[in-house]
Amino acid sequence: MWRIAAVRSAGFPFALLETLTKAHGEDEFVRSPRFLAALTWQNPGLLTNWMSEYAAALGRGERTHRSRPRRRAELIARYAQRYCAKNDTIGFFGAVAWAHFTDTGPDLRWSGTGLLRRHSVHLETWAAEAIAAAWRERPDLQDELPVRRVPSSSLGPGGFVRAQGSVSPLSRSATGLLAALDTHDRCGDVIRAAAAALPEYTADELMADLWELDRRGMVQLGFLIPCDAHPERHLRRHVAGLPASHPARAELMERLDALDRAHVRLAGTPPDTAPSALAAALSEADQALGSLSGAPLRRRPEAPTRRKRARAGPVLGRTSHYLDSRRDLDVTLGPGLRERLAGPLALVLDSARWLAAEIGDEVERMLHARFKELSRGTEPVSLGRLQFSAADVLSGARDWTDAIVEDFRLRWAECLPTSGRSEIAVRATDVAPRFDALFPPRRPRWAAARQHSPDLLLARRPGGRSRWVLGELHIGLNTLESRVFVTQADVPDELRDLTAWDHRSGRIVPLYPSDSPEVTSRTYPPTALDPPGLYRYWSYGPDQGHPLGADSIPAAELTVHDRDGALFARHHRGGWQAPVLEFYGEFLTALAVDLFSPRAPAPHAPRTRIDDLVVCRESWHLAPADLPDRGDLNTWLHSRGIPRHVFVKTPAEPKPVYVDFASPPLVDNLFRVARRLHADAAPFGLCVTEMLPGPEDLWLTDAEGAAYTSEFRVVAVDPRDTPSIFSRES
């Protein structure tokens, strides 16, 4: 394991949720400036619509009449359970901290106030893209617009070759314009170069043809905004690239300066207090953005699709800026805790390695079948064409991973007992031979599969023995590659150096188009840990380029070949090749990352522990119809042995929600979640899991003694040396 781990925690003390067990307990959250500040960052429309007015009334000692009071109490409780019971990395209500494993000292030690040590405010990438899209429409900037061929494409004898392998014939003007891109990257220069070579065309005709190439997806015309933590710097770089005499240069620089000033004021506003001041600072930043784009901002809550709207104009989501924070907390984990973790966690990781390898084997088998079909023609098979043909495979659209997961669960069932009333406990030394036989060592099938990221929780009662609890296990992914961890790292180069060592054999990374649903401003992909000189990049669509300007290889220029039964992609111009799975590695990670599930859903499954590591918490899988009437809830819980504090997950909810069965609004939230499931949903659509560590097991406390939920995000690495993934073309 890496000696450094991220500490994720809730931003509010867990005990605050106790107020929700009392009548009108949700009002205590509305009275809290910190709670309102968190909502200002996350959902300012909620405050504008009614909560600010209601908070003011409560401050005056009034309880104004509210429509749908039960629904509003449930809404407040939904945010409260996230801020108090969920380990997160967002804003001040999920600030990042860091832990180090040590060779000496006590098992657990921490220092710091538990408050905020520092924070940083960042512009959303989609907001910068919206500004760039608005600039693209300005007539006075047309000559200065950057232009390039779509990076996934190439030019061949028959015309324009797209990533998927299709070839479009080119007109004489289109050929001349694309040829001009070899030496020019500004619209006006391209038009002038093409006009010199094609005197039969006017500049206006060539400009119209260039826009048509953009519409047909052959060129990208406009200011590119690569995805990183500071997209405003790309806006400034574009403006600085305008000629000094250009009339728009001084104007846009002045407006960028205004945005920077608003950004500084926003960053200087205490992030967890004074929600009115915070709202004013966010509004000022929005006005500066509107000035840059030439139109007022319009807020839309549908965040998942806001990127697509950004191309049509400055349509933004809930907030144009986001906040990340570093908690004032430093943790050391001594050798005792690490040693008690090593044996059982090794078994878990061996099984994860096996599962990742099975995913890689099956993908390669299906890719080989598609490759054979495509090879029946006379044209070489490009990497992009194979990707297009195997889109259902690489996206998991056919649920082909189900059979592998079922096999994985059956193997786990052979390794551990499956029956028990509430807890099964085994020793690692007793079950290790079975794990070794059923999960034998496998070679990582792609570079990222060398790393796995378990989330580890520590249950620690005063005077009692500490016990580890496995939360999620992210297969084939280093979760610390997310931008939020890099921006809040004390020494970012420490993370880069560790990454460089783990990937010293090389890695191939795709540049995602900015409208890919996987891409977000603050997480992953793309990776924020990018060791110089080790990675190679390729483009499969109209991406925005690498943030540091690294070149990418067009998918259309990579051809696939069968070498002794293994698929390799060759870059003939570069004179090298690599396994096809390496090019698709990030897609394989997306397939495998959430598949770790050691046991199948069952009406009841006991807690399972290997030594001092709980690998599965006690759980109950239910159908929505299994829920009783509210009046029978306590009897129903007792009959099934379900504890008071649980987490509930459904196919309709991306993250589990905390439920305290003594809290009416949290119970209402559970019934709301159940109602969202279709009647024909799986019989085990509701997964109820015990809260472990429980409220009495929380080790992290602040200076006032208030306890917080927390977890350690760890990076585990396959230690075996692997040869370079790159080889000379044979």
Side-chain angles (χ1 to χ4, degrees), residues 16 25 69 142 172 241 303 367 416 433 445 513 518 643 694 698:
L16 289 180
Q142 295 292 295
R172 178 171 166 76
L367 290 178
L416 298 175
R445 298 306 316 275
E518 300 86 356
L698 305 178

Side-chain angles (χ1 to χ4, degrees), residues 171-192:
S171 65
R172 178 171 166 76
S173 64
T175 300
L177 288 166
L178 290 172
L181 291 178
D182 291 337
T183 53
H184 302 283
D185 61 2
R186 295 278 174 173
C187 188
D189 295 335
V190 169
I191 296 300
R192 285 184 284 273

